[in-house]
Amino acid sequence: MILPATPLLVPGLAPGLRADPLMAVRGAVRAALAELVAGGRLPLVLAHGPALRHGRMRPSLAGAGIGDRWLPDPSAAASWADGAPAGTGASVALLALADVLGDRATDVETLEVPADGTSLDGGGVADLLRGATGLVVAGGGAPGGVDDGPDALTDGIRAALRAAGADAWRVDVQVFEQSHGHLPPAYRVTTLT
């Protein structure tokens, strides 16, 4: 599934809003993730990052200017891997997974790929992607890029999806229009089967 990589997808990060503009998006993401992890499956999180890296990472929204103390359960941060913090997109996906997996979310691995798709050749990336029991893809273009909206996909993510064989998957897109002034006019939640 491809979810919009906006920190607003994380419950509780917009406490001053009367109406939660992303409640429907969050519900669709939660339902899709619950189906994806049914039967004990642990998906691989795929997101863009500054370099190719893979492993267990801890969520952090510091790159979006949100301190760890504002995360849904800051005390749980200690139970995440001691490794490097994940980028914003991967962190949104990890936190969304934690909402459905609970403590098991700490076992989820993340693959971050460069925005331009370089260095995807070799290194077992294609095998890793094809061997995953499911993929949770964090949308969102490269920060400062031409298209950095929450639904955008970088060239690196597109290359990784091709390597996973996603060209042959069925695509179901749910569009959630909204009219909150400072947010995009719509968010998309994409399920690939």
Side-chain angles (χ1 to χ4, degrees), residues 51-94:
L52 182 65
R53 59 186 188 149
H54 168 250
R56 291 185 184 165
M57 298 178 196
R58 62 180 169 80
S60 172
L61 297 176
I66 300 169
D68 289 347
R69 68 186 182 113
W70 295 105
L71 296 181
D73 185 2
S75 64
S79 65
W80 289 87
D82 291 330
T88 300
S91 293
V92 168
L94 288 168

Side-chain angles (χ1 to χ4, degrees), residues 47-53 112-120 154-157:
H48 74 270
L52 182 65
R53 59 186 188 149
E112 289 186 334
V113 298
D116 63 3
T118 58
S119 75
L120 287 187
T154 64
D155 290 342
I157 294 293

